[in-house]
């Protein structure tokens, strides 16, 4: 069985996420998502709209995702790869020019998948805030 793993925050689950997960799952037979915890996001200066439990619940409902594990820090990847006998680590192409993950090639294959244009959690959050302020202005 070919095991694939990918990591991320997956806040306000959107079609960019779904397409990434679909293509990642198609690379193998079992897809694990390392989902950034709220505490880990805090260390990255990121606050998600939905908390970890809600983000996990949504990912677990997807047919492309077989298992969700917490991503608590940058250093856990080699341990995860060994524990789950991972064949391929998939990252979004946003990381392609970074050498942060290069060292993981000694543990498994490393594949970058292109991002979907025109959508991100940040964009959605911005739109939600704009909508909220429009509503407040009309009350
Ligand atoms: N992703 C993608 N296409 C997008 C947005 C995200 O393929 N339009 C991928 C990322 O490359 C990553 C995974 O989805 O592999 C999770 O990304 P995440 O950072 O959680 O999503 P973003 O929407 O990019 O969130 P943010 O705006 O907070 O960076």
């Amino acid at each position: 069985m070919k095991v694939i793993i990918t990591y991320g925050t997956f806040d306000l689950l959107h079609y960019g996420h779904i397409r990434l997960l679909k293509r990642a799952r198609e690379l193998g037979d079992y897809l694990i998502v390392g989902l950034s915890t709220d505490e880990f996001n805090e260390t990255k200066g990121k606050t998600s709209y939905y908390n970890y439990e809600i983000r996990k619940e949504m990912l677990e409902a997807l047919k492309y995702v077989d298992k969700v594990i917490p991503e608590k820090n940058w250093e856990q990847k080699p341990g995860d790869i060994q524990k789950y006998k991972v064949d391929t680590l998939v990252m979004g192409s946003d990381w392609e020019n970074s050498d942060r993950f290069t060292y993981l090639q000694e543990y498994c294959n490393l594949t970058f998948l292109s991002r979907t244009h025109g959508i991100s959690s940040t964009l959605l959050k911005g739109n939600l805030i704009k909508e909220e302020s429009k509503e407040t202005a009309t009350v």
Side-chain angles (χ1 to χ4, degrees):
M1 187 169 71
K2 197 170 173 194
V3 180
I4 313 295
I5 196 163
T6 193
Y7 293 87
T9 300
F10 297 93
D11 190 24
L12 292 166
L13 198 63
H14 57 69
Y15 61 89
H17 295 144
I18 303 291
R19 288 178 187 174
L20 183 284
L21 294 168
K22 179 175 191 286
R23 285 177 293 153
R25 180 63 170 72
E26 283 168 358
L27 294 174
D29 309 296
Y30 191 86
L31 176 64
I32 302 173
V33 178
L35 180 62
S36 301
T37 61
D38 299 331
E39 295 74 20
F40 182 42
N41 277 337
E42 214 169 285
T43 71
K44 294 190 270 182
K46 244 179 149 175
T47 308
S48 57
Y49 187 85
Y50 290 126
N51 68 28
Y52 177 83
E53 286 308 322
I54 301 274
R55 288 182 286 120
K56 180 169 185 271
E57 185 182 333
M58 287 196 274
L59 284 175
E60 283 174 343
L62 299 178
K63 66 178 177 182
Y64 307 120
V65 175
D66 297 289
K67 188 177 183 64
V68 178
I69 60 168
E71 183 194 32
K72 296 178 178 174
N73 55 61
W74 292 108
E75 296 79 31
Q76 75 184 61
K77 291 185 181 70
D80 292 343
I81 292 165
Q82 281 161 345
K83 179 173 178 185
Y84 296 105
K85 300 185 170 47
V86 170
D87 291 281
T88 304
L89 168 63
V90 168
M91 298 300 299
S93 54
D94 26 344
W95 292 102
E96 204 157 6
N97 295 321
S98 147
D99 52 13
R100 187 184 276 273
F101 303 113
T102 313
Y103 78 102
L104 293 167
Q105 278 169 328
E106 70 179 83
Y107 299 94
C108 69
N109 299 309
L110 185 57
T111 297
F112 296 95
L113 293 181
S114 59
R115 281 174 68 90
T116 301
H117 294 292
I119 183 77
S120 72
S121 306
T122 306
L123 188 82
L124 290 177
K125 256 181 263 177
N127 288 348
L128 282 172
I129 292 165
K130 269 189 241 156
E131 284 304 316
E132 250 168 54
S133 55
K134 250 196 257 168
E135 273 168 32
T136 321
T138 53
V139 172

